[in-house]
Amino acid sequence: MPAHKYNATVVQKIQIRPNLMILRVATDEPRSEFSAGQYTTLGLYGSEPRSANSEPEAIPVKPEKLIQRAYSIASARHETRQFEFYISQVKTGQLTPRLFHLEVGDKVFVGRRIVGVFNLSNAPKDADVVMIATGTGITPYISFLRSHVMERPKSKMVVIQAAAHQGDLGYFSELSFLDSAFPNFYYLPTLTDAGDTWPGHRLWIEEMLESGVLGQETGVACDPKRTHFYLCGNPVMVKNVSQWLTEHGYQKKTRRTEGTLFVEEF
Ligand SMILES: Cc1cc2nc3c(=O)[nH]c(=O)nc-3n(C[C@H](O)[C@H](O)[C@H](O)COP(=O)(O)OP(=O)(O)OC[C@H]3O[C@@H](n4cnc5c(N)ncnc54)[C@H](O)[C@@H]3O)c2cc1C
């Protein structure tokens, strides 16, 4: 089995659901300090076994190929040796079924570069920030919060996390704890297919914005001059919520244009 490019070791694996896991890896060599919200690559060779609950891959891969994909880092930005990832298994995918087969002690490839422009550097320290996520799109916000929540006491920071079921709300405990511990942080989870015992919201994200729930529960306004919006996750959610926000005066920040709407699609 080829292993010459592997440069990191799995130190923790938390299987949250059959197709969702938190994977922590320790790199053999430290990386540079990064910006919260950035991503790197994980890689495994095509010869590695696939998880028991995966399906045959849609596009077969050669055994000697190092399959690499981008993954956001959930860790705080000052971590330089241990990195946390939150990964969803695509059952017919090339890499994720192999990542889901990993166990503690196994070797893996981690890219040397940590890159990406999805970060808080454009949001002034007193600007309010609304972070909206579906699925593993919550990952960069965990890094934002672990890195910056204490540094921004004058900024209201809100996470709106949407999922079908409660078990799909990754980092629910950590986000609930932050909500109770920091007066400037608000956690608004919402479920579209909740059971009877769910006490929280049952709205689509656009409905939460349209109905004024955001303003009522946090005091944060949908005001492009004051509030910066971040969207991360499913491309359909990103498209629909971007459209709602642009209809309400927001402009998407790109390399060439200024704006207070920041977008990352997985
Ligand atoms: C900047 C960036 C950050 C990312 N961060 C994360 C992260 O934190 N966690 C994470 O789980 N993923 C993340 N991804 C997605 C990741 O890079 C892979 O695309 C994903 O894990 C699938 O890889 P695969 O090799 O298993 O599937 P592939 O073999 O690449 O894909 C097989 C097919 O599945 C479909 N597919 C691809 N991705 C998904 C998906 N997420 N859900 C459903 N179907 C899909 C595609 O249509 C594709 O044709 C990120 C992507 C980018 C660009």
Side-chain angles (χ1 to χ4, degrees):
M1 178 171 59
H4 56 281
K5 282 201 176 168
Y6 291 167
N7 57 7
T9 308
V10 175
V11 292
Q12 191 179 29
K13 176 182 178 183
I14 304 172
Q15 189 92 38
I16 299 166
R17 311 260 285 181
N19 294 312
L20 262 185
M21 70 168 173
I22 290 173
L23 193 71
R24 286 186 73 87
V25 302
T27 50
D28 298 343
E29 299 295 330
R31 301 292 185 267
S32 306
E33 197 169 296
F34 59 100
S35 296
Q38 289 191 302
Y39 62 92
T40 187
T41 52
L42 292 177
L44 286 169
Y45 285 98
S47 55
E48 300 291 357
R50 296 167 65 80
S51 72
N53 77 331
S54 65
E55 292 165 11
E57 57 202 353
I59 305 168
V61 65
K62 292 198 170 124
E64 66 277 16
K65 182 180 162 75
L66 181 66
I67 314 159
Q68 295 184 61
R69 298 285 184 271
Y71 292 94
S72 296
I73 300 169
S75 315
R77 68 193 166 109
H78 51 75
E79 296 258 9
T80 55
R81 228 178 228 286
Q82 279 213 8
F83 298 96
E84 182 175 314
F85 301 95
Y86 180 48
I87 303 173
S88 163
Q89 177 173 242
V90 176
K91 285 189 170 193
T92 57
Q94 291 186 343
L95 183 60
T96 48
R98 292 178 170 88
L99 291 174
F100 272 69
H101 192 270
L102 290 172
E103 295 297 342
V104 170
D106 287 344
K107 299 292 285 186
V108 62
F109 172 81
V110 177
R112 285 175 212 292
R113 295 179 62 227
I114 300 179
V115 296
V117 294
F118 193 71
N119 58 56
L120 281 179
S121 62
N122 285 296
K125 283 227 167 128
D126 58 352
D128 293 334
V129 173
V130 179
M131 299 161 267
I132 298 181
T134 53
T136 52
I138 197 70
T139 316
Y141 305 144
I142 298 301
S143 181
F144 283 6
L145 293 165
R146 289 176 177 176
S147 306
H148 298 298
V149 72
M150 289 198 330
E151 295 167 6
R152 300 176 60 97
K154 292 186 181 151
S155 163
K156 286 188 175 174
M157 302 180 80
V158 183
V159 165
I160 299 178
Q161 185 182 26
H165 307 282
Q166 190 170 354
D168 302 324
L169 292 172
Y171 294 94
F172 179 81
S173 304
E174 182 167 336
L175 291 163
S176 300
F177 167 74
L178 288 174
D179 184 286
S180 63
F182 291 94
N184 62 323
F185 177 69
Y186 302 83
Y187 178 40
L188 305 183
T190 182
L191 298 180
T192 51
D193 199 6
D196 293 342
T197 54
W198 172 247
H201 296 292
R202 295 161 184 266
L203 299 168
W204 293 87
I205 293 165
E206 298 91 313
E207 290 175 328
M208 288 189 84
L209 300 176
E210 186 71 43
S211 64
V213 165
L214 173 67
Q216 288 153 23
E217 295 204 6
T218 69
V220 171
C222 291
D223 173 357
K225 292 201 177 67
R226 160 95 206 132
T227 306
H228 293 229
F229 270 82
Y230 289 77
L231 308 181
C232 188
N234 177 299
V236 175
M237 178 283 283
V238 167
K239 179 169 167 281
N240 292 343
V241 180
S242 293
Q243 187 177 335
W244 191 93
L245 287 166
T246 46
E247 284 166 9
H248 288 77
Y250 274 84
Q251 193 161 333
K252 190 169 152 184
K253 171 87 174 81
T254 66
R255 285 185 200 279
R256 292 202 192 101
T257 56
E258 287 308 313
T260 47
L261 169 58
F262 303 83
V263 167
E264 183 106 292
E265 283 179 30
F266 283 4

Short mmCIF file of all heavy atoms in Angstrom, two decimals, residues 87-132:
data_model
loop_
_atom_site.label_atom_id
_atom_site.label_comp_id
_atom_site.label_asym_id
_atom_site.label_seq_id
_atom_site.Cartn_x
_atom_site.Cartn_y
_atom_site.Cartn_z
N ILE A 87 -17.09 16.21 8.66
CA ILE A 87 -17.18 15.66 7.31
C ILE A 87 -18.46 14.85 7.12
O ILE A 87 -18.85 14.05 7.97
CB ILE A 87 -15.95 14.75 7.03
CG1 ILE A 87 -14.67 15.57 7.25
CG2 ILE A 87 -16.00 14.19 5.62
CD1 ILE A 87 -13.39 14.76 7.17
N SER A 88 -19.06 15.08 5.97
CA SER A 88 -20.26 14.34 5.58
C SER A 88 -19.88 13.31 4.52
O SER A 88 -19.19 13.65 3.56
CB SER A 88 -21.26 15.37 5.04
OG SER A 88 -22.25 14.75 4.30
N GLN A 89 -20.33 12.08 4.70
CA GLN A 89 -19.98 11.04 3.72
C GLN A 89 -20.90 11.12 2.49
O GLN A 89 -22.12 11.09 2.62
CB GLN A 89 -20.10 9.65 4.34
CG GLN A 89 -19.81 8.54 3.32
CD GLN A 89 -19.75 7.14 3.90
OE1 GLN A 89 -18.73 6.47 3.85
NE2 GLN A 89 -20.85 6.69 4.47
N VAL A 90 -20.27 11.24 1.32
CA VAL A 90 -21.00 11.08 0.04
C VAL A 90 -20.79 9.61 -0.31
O VAL A 90 -19.68 9.18 -0.65
CB VAL A 90 -20.41 11.99 -1.04
CG1 VAL A 90 -21.09 11.76 -2.38
CG2 VAL A 90 -20.53 13.46 -0.64
N LYS A 91 -21.87 8.81 -0.20
CA LYS A 91 -21.70 7.35 -0.25
C LYS A 91 -21.03 6.85 -1.53
O LYS A 91 -20.34 5.84 -1.52
CB LYS A 91 -23.05 6.66 -0.08
CG LYS A 91 -23.54 6.70 1.35
CD LYS A 91 -24.76 5.83 1.49
CE LYS A 91 -25.12 5.67 2.96
NZ LYS A 91 -26.08 4.60 3.16
N THR A 92 -21.27 7.54 -2.65
CA THR A 92 -20.67 7.10 -3.91
C THR A 92 -19.43 7.92 -4.26
O THR A 92 -18.90 7.83 -5.36
CB THR A 92 -21.68 7.25 -5.08
OG1 THR A 92 -22.08 8.63 -5.12
CG2 THR A 92 -22.88 6.36 -4.90
N GLY A 93 -19.00 8.77 -3.32
CA GLY A 93 -17.85 9.64 -3.57
C GLY A 93 -16.54 8.88 -3.57
O GLY A 93 -16.47 7.71 -3.17
N GLN A 94 -15.50 9.57 -3.99
CA GLN A 94 -14.18 8.92 -4.03
C GLN A 94 -13.47 9.00 -2.68
O GLN A 94 -12.93 8.01 -2.20
CB GLN A 94 -13.32 9.58 -5.12
CG GLN A 94 -13.85 9.29 -6.52
CD GLN A 94 -12.92 9.81 -7.60
OE1 GLN A 94 -12.06 10.65 -7.38
NE2 GLN A 94 -13.10 9.30 -8.80
N LEU A 95 -13.46 10.19 -2.06
CA LEU A 95 -12.65 10.33 -0.85
C LEU A 95 -13.42 10.02 0.44
O LEU A 95 -12.90 9.31 1.31
CB LEU A 95 -12.05 11.74 -0.76
CG LEU A 95 -11.14 11.94 0.45
CD1 LEU A 95 -9.95 10.96 0.42
CD2 LEU A 95 -10.65 13.37 0.56
N THR A 96 -14.63 10.57 0.59
CA THR A 96 -15.25 10.48 1.92
C THR A 96 -15.47 9.04 2.41
O THR A 96 -15.24 8.77 3.59
CB THR A 96 -16.56 11.30 2.00
OG1 THR A 96 -17.38 11.01 0.88
CG2 THR A 96 -16.26 12.78 2.05
N PRO A 97 -15.87 8.07 1.57
CA PRO A 97 -15.99 6.71 2.11
C PRO A 97 -14.65 6.16 2.63
O PRO A 97 -14.63 5.38 3.58
CB PRO A 97 -16.49 5.90 0.91
CG PRO A 97 -17.23 6.90 0.08
CD PRO A 97 -16.39 8.15 0.20
N ARG A 98 -13.55 6.62 2.04
CA ARG A 98 -12.23 6.18 2.54
C ARG A 98 -11.90 6.90 3.85
O ARG A 98 -11.32 6.31 4.76
CB ARG A 98 -11.17 6.42 1.47
CG ARG A 98 -11.36 5.49 0.27
CD ARG A 98 -10.34 5.74 -0.84
NE ARG A 98 -10.41 4.69 -1.85
CZ ARG A 98 -11.23 4.69 -2.91
NH1 ARG A 98 -12.03 5.73 -3.13
NH2 ARG A 98 -11.24 3.67 -3.75
N LEU A 99 -12.28 8.18 3.96
CA LEU A 99 -12.06 8.90 5.23
C LEU A 99 -12.88 8.25 6.35
O LEU A 99 -12.43 8.14 7.49
CB LEU A 99 -12.47 10.37 5.09
CG LEU A 99 -11.59 11.25 4.19
CD1 LEU A 99 -12.22 12.65 4.05
CD2 LEU A 99 -10.17 11.37 4.74
N PHE A 100 -14.11 7.81 6.01
CA PHE A 100 -14.97 7.21 7.03
C PHE A 100 -14.47 5.83 7.47
O PHE A 100 -14.90 5.32 8.50
CB PHE A 100 -16.44 7.14 6.54
CG PHE A 100 -17.20 8.40 6.84
CD1 PHE A 100 -16.90 9.57 6.18
CD2 PHE A 100 -18.18 8.42 7.82
CE1 PHE A 100 -17.57 10.76 6.47
CE2 PHE A 100 -18.86 9.59 8.12
CZ PHE A 100 -18.56 10.76 7.45
N HIS A 101 -13.59 5.24 6.72
CA HIS A 101 -13.01 3.94 7.12
C HIS A 101 -11.83 4.14 8.07
O HIS A 101 -11.37 3.19 8.72
CB HIS A 101 -12.56 3.17 5.88
CG HIS A 101 -12.22 1.73 6.16
ND1 HIS A 101 -10.95 1.32 6.52
CD2 HIS A 101 -12.99 0.62 6.17
CE1 HIS A 101 -10.95 0.02 6.72
NE2 HIS A 101 -12.18 -0.43 6.52
N LEU A 102 -11.31 5.36 8.19
CA LEU A 102 -10.13 5.60 9.03
C LEU A 102 -10.43 5.33 10.50
O LEU A 102 -11.55 5.55 10.97
CB LEU A 102 -9.67 7.06 8.88
CG LEU A 102 -9.04 7.47 7.56
CD1 LEU A 102 -8.82 8.99 7.53
CD2 LEU A 102 -7.71 6.74 7.34
N GLU A 103 -9.42 4.92 11.21
CA GLU A 103 -9.51 4.74 12.66
C GLU A 103 -8.36 5.51 13.31
O GLU A 103 -7.39 5.86 12.63
CB GLU A 103 -9.42 3.25 13.05
CG GLU A 103 -10.56 2.40 12.55
CD GLU A 103 -11.93 2.79 13.12
OE1 GLU A 103 -11.97 3.50 14.14
OE2 GLU A 103 -12.94 2.40 12.50
N VAL A 104 -8.46 5.73 14.62
CA VAL A 104 -7.39 6.41 15.35
C VAL A 104 -6.06 5.67 15.12
O VAL A 104 -6.02 4.44 15.19
CB VAL A 104 -7.73 6.49 16.86
CG1 VAL A 104 -6.53 6.98 17.66
CG2 VAL A 104 -8.93 7.41 17.06
N GLY A 105 -5.03 6.43 14.80
CA GLY A 105 -3.71 5.84 14.54
C GLY A 105 -3.41 5.71 13.06
O GLY A 105 -2.24 5.57 12.69
N ASP A 106 -4.43 5.76 12.21
CA ASP A 106 -4.19 5.64 10.76
C ASP A 106 -3.55 6.92 10.22
O ASP A 106 -3.77 8.01 10.76
CB ASP A 106 -5.52 5.38 10.02
CG ASP A 106 -6.03 3.98 10.23
OD1 ASP A 106 -5.25 3.12 10.69
OD2 ASP A 106 -7.23 3.73 9.95
N LYS A 107 -2.81 6.76 9.14
CA LYS A 107 -2.14 7.91 8.50
C LYS A 107 -3.03 8.47 7.38
O LYS A 107 -3.83 7.76 6.77
CB LYS A 107 -0.80 7.49 7.91
CG LYS A 107 0.20 6.96 8.92
CD LYS A 107 0.70 8.02 9.89
CE LYS A 107 1.69 8.99 9.27
NZ LYS A 107 2.26 9.92 10.25
N VAL A 108 -2.83 9.77 7.12
CA VAL A 108 -3.63 10.48 6.12
C VAL A 108 -2.78 11.63 5.59
O VAL A 108 -1.82 12.04 6.25
CB VAL A 108 -4.96 10.97 6.76
CG1 VAL A 108 -4.72 11.94 7.89
CG2 VAL A 108 -5.91 11.56 5.74
N PHE A 109 -3.14 12.13 4.41
CA PHE A 109 -2.44 13.30 3.87
C PHE A 109 -3.22 14.57 4.24
O PHE A 109 -4.43 14.62 4.07
CB PHE A 109 -2.33 13.19 2.34
CG PHE A 109 -1.80 14.44 1.69
CD1 PHE A 109 -0.44 14.71 1.67
CD2 PHE A 109 -2.66 15.36 1.12
CE1 PHE A 109 0.06 15.87 1.09
CE2 PHE A 109 -2.18 16.53 0.54
CZ PHE A 109 -0.82 16.78 0.53
N VAL A 110 -2.49 15.58 4.72
CA VAL A 110 -3.07 16.90 4.96
C VAL A 110 -2.25 17.92 4.17
O VAL A 110 -1.02 17.95 4.28
CB VAL A 110 -3.05 17.28 6.46
CG1 VAL A 110 -3.58 18.69 6.67
CG2 VAL A 110 -3.87 16.29 7.27
N GLY A 111 -2.94 18.74 3.36
CA GLY A 111 -2.24 19.74 2.54
C GLY A 111 -1.35 20.64 3.38
O GLY A 111 -1.65 20.91 4.54
N ARG A 112 -0.27 21.10 2.75
CA ARG A 112 0.64 21.98 3.50
C ARG A 112 0.11 23.40 3.58
O ARG A 112 0.46 24.16 4.48
CB ARG A 112 2.02 21.99 2.83
CG ARG A 112 2.76 20.72 3.13
CD ARG A 112 4.08 20.59 2.41
NE ARG A 112 4.31 19.19 2.13
CZ ARG A 112 4.55 18.27 3.04
NH1 ARG A 112 4.60 18.59 4.31
NH2 ARG A 112 4.73 17.01 2.69
N ARG A 113 -0.74 23.78 2.64
CA ARG A 113 -1.25 25.15 2.61
C ARG A 113 -2.65 25.22 3.20
O ARG A 113 -3.47 24.33 2.99
CB ARG A 113 -1.26 25.68 1.18
CG ARG A 113 0.14 25.80 0.59
CD ARG A 113 0.11 26.30 -0.82
NE ARG A 113 -0.46 27.64 -0.92
CZ ARG A 113 -1.38 28.00 -1.80
NH1 ARG A 113 -1.85 27.13 -2.65
NH2 ARG A 113 -1.84 29.23 -1.82
N ILE A 114 -2.90 26.30 3.94
CA ILE A 114 -4.24 26.57 4.46
C ILE A 114 -4.69 27.86 3.79
O ILE A 114 -3.99 28.88 3.87
CB ILE A 114 -4.21 26.72 6.00
CG1 ILE A 114 -3.68 25.42 6.63
CG2 ILE A 114 -5.60 27.06 6.52
CD1 ILE A 114 -3.59 25.44 8.14
N VAL A 115 -5.80 27.79 3.07
CA VAL A 115 -6.17 28.90 2.18
C VAL A 115 -7.64 29.27 2.34
O VAL A 115 -8.40 28.60 3.04
CB VAL A 115 -5.87 28.54 0.70
CG1 VAL A 115 -4.38 28.35 0.48
CG2 VAL A 115 -6.64 27.30 0.30
N GLY A 116 -8.04 30.33 1.60
CA GLY A 116 -9.44 30.73 1.57
C GLY A 116 -9.63 32.14 2.08
O GLY A 116 -8.85 32.64 2.90
N VAL A 117 -10.69 32.79 1.57
CA VAL A 117 -10.94 34.19 1.93
C VAL A 117 -12.24 34.34 2.73
O VAL A 117 -12.72 35.44 2.93
CB VAL A 117 -11.01 35.08 0.67
CG1 VAL A 117 -9.65 35.14 -0.01
CG2 VAL A 117 -12.07 34.57 -0.31
N PHE A 118 -12.80 33.21 3.17
CA PHE A 118 -14.03 33.25 3.96
C PHE A 118 -13.63 33.42 5.42
O PHE A 118 -13.38 32.45 6.14
CB PHE A 118 -14.78 31.93 3.74
CG PHE A 118 -16.21 31.92 4.22
CD1 PHE A 118 -17.18 32.64 3.56
CD2 PHE A 118 -16.58 31.16 5.31
CE1 PHE A 118 -18.51 32.61 3.98
CE2 PHE A 118 -17.89 31.11 5.75
CZ PHE A 118 -18.86 31.85 5.08
N ASN A 119 -13.49 34.68 5.85
CA ASN A 119 -13.06 34.92 7.23
C ASN A 119 -13.65 36.24 7.73
O ASN A 119 -14.34 36.93 6.99
CB ASN A 119 -11.53 34.91 7.33
CG ASN A 119 -10.89 35.92 6.42
OD1 ASN A 119 -11.22 37.11 6.50
ND2 ASN A 119 -10.01 35.48 5.53
N LEU A 120 -13.34 36.56 8.97
CA LEU A 120 -13.97 37.73 9.59
C LEU A 120 -13.18 39.01 9.40
O LEU A 120 -13.55 40.05 9.94
CB LEU A 120 -14.16 37.48 11.09
CG LEU A 120 -15.33 36.61 11.52
CD1 LEU A 120 -15.33 36.45 13.04
CD2 LEU A 120 -16.65 37.20 11.08
N SER A 121 -12.09 38.97 8.62
CA SER A 121 -11.20 40.13 8.57
C SER A 121 -11.88 41.36 7.97
O SER A 121 -11.48 42.49 8.25
CB SER A 121 -9.91 39.80 7.81
OG SER A 121 -10.22 39.46 6.50
N ASN A 122 -12.91 41.16 7.16
CA ASN A 122 -13.60 42.32 6.57
C ASN A 122 -14.70 42.88 7.47
O ASN A 122 -15.28 43.92 7.15
CB ASN A 122 -14.23 41.93 5.22
CG ASN A 122 -13.17 41.82 4.15
OD1 ASN A 122 -12.53 42.80 3.81
ND2 ASN A 122 -12.96 40.61 3.66
N ALA A 123 -15.02 42.19 8.53
CA ALA A 123 -16.09 42.66 9.43
C ALA A 123 -15.46 43.44 10.59
O ALA A 123 -14.79 42.84 11.43
CB ALA A 123 -16.88 41.48 9.96
N PRO A 124 -15.65 44.77 10.63
CA PRO A 124 -15.08 45.54 11.74
C PRO A 124 -15.48 44.95 13.09
O PRO A 124 -16.54 44.32 13.21
CB PRO A 124 -15.69 46.94 11.55
CG PRO A 124 -16.11 46.99 10.12
CD PRO A 124 -16.44 45.59 9.72
N LYS A 125 -14.66 45.20 14.10
CA LYS A 125 -14.88 44.54 15.40
C LYS A 125 -16.19 44.92 16.08
O LYS A 125 -16.66 44.23 16.97
CB LYS A 125 -13.71 44.84 16.34
CG LYS A 125 -12.48 44.01 15.99
CD LYS A 125 -11.89 43.40 17.24
CE LYS A 125 -10.87 42.34 16.86
NZ LYS A 125 -9.61 42.47 17.50
N ASP A 126 -16.79 46.06 15.65
CA ASP A 126 -18.07 46.43 16.26
C ASP A 126 -19.26 46.15 15.32
O ASP A 126 -20.40 46.48 15.63
CB ASP A 126 -18.08 47.90 16.69
CG ASP A 126 -17.80 48.83 15.53
OD1 ASP A 126 -17.47 48.34 14.43
OD2 ASP A 126 -17.94 50.06 15.71
N ALA A 127 -18.99 45.54 14.15
CA ALA A 127 -20.10 45.19 13.25
C ALA A 127 -20.75 43.90 13.72
O ALA A 127 -20.08 43.00 14.24
CB ALA A 127 -19.56 45.00 11.83
N ASP A 128 -22.06 43.80 13.53
CA ASP A 128 -22.75 42.56 13.86
C ASP A 128 -22.54 41.55 12.74
O ASP A 128 -22.36 41.92 11.57
CB ASP A 128 -24.24 42.81 14.08
CG ASP A 128 -24.50 43.66 15.32
OD1 ASP A 128 -23.64 43.61 16.23
OD2 ASP A 128 -25.52 44.35 15.38
N VAL A 129 -22.55 40.27 13.12
CA VAL A 129 -22.24 39.21 12.17
C VAL A 129 -23.30 38.13 12.28
O VAL A 129 -23.58 37.63 13.37
CB VAL A 129 -20.85 38.59 12.50
CG1 VAL A 129 -20.58 37.38 11.64
CG2 VAL A 129 -19.74 39.62 12.34
N VAL A 130 -23.91 37.79 11.15
CA VAL A 130 -24.88 36.68 11.12
C VAL A 130 -24.30 35.57 10.25
O VAL A 130 -23.97 35.79 9.08
CB VAL A 130 -26.24 37.14 10.55
CG1 VAL A 130 -27.21 35.96 10.51
CG2 VAL A 130 -26.83 38.27 11.39
N MET A 131 -24.14 34.39 10.84
CA MET A 131 -23.53 33.26 10.16
C MET A 131 -24.62 32.21 9.91
O MET A 131 -25.21 31.69 10.86
CB MET A 131 -22.44 32.66 11.04
CG MET A 131 -21.32 33.63 11.37
SD MET A 131 -20.34 33.12 12.81
CE MET A 131 -21.18 34.00 14.11
N ILE A 132 -24.87 31.91 8.65
CA ILE A 132 -25.96 30.99 8.31
C ILE A 132 -25.37 29.72 7.70
O ILE A 132 -24.52 29.79 6.80
CB ILE A 132 -26.93 31.67 7.32
CG1 ILE A 132 -27.55 32.90 8.00
CG2 ILE A 132 -27.99 30.70 6.84
CD1 ILE A 132 -28.55 33.66 7.15
#
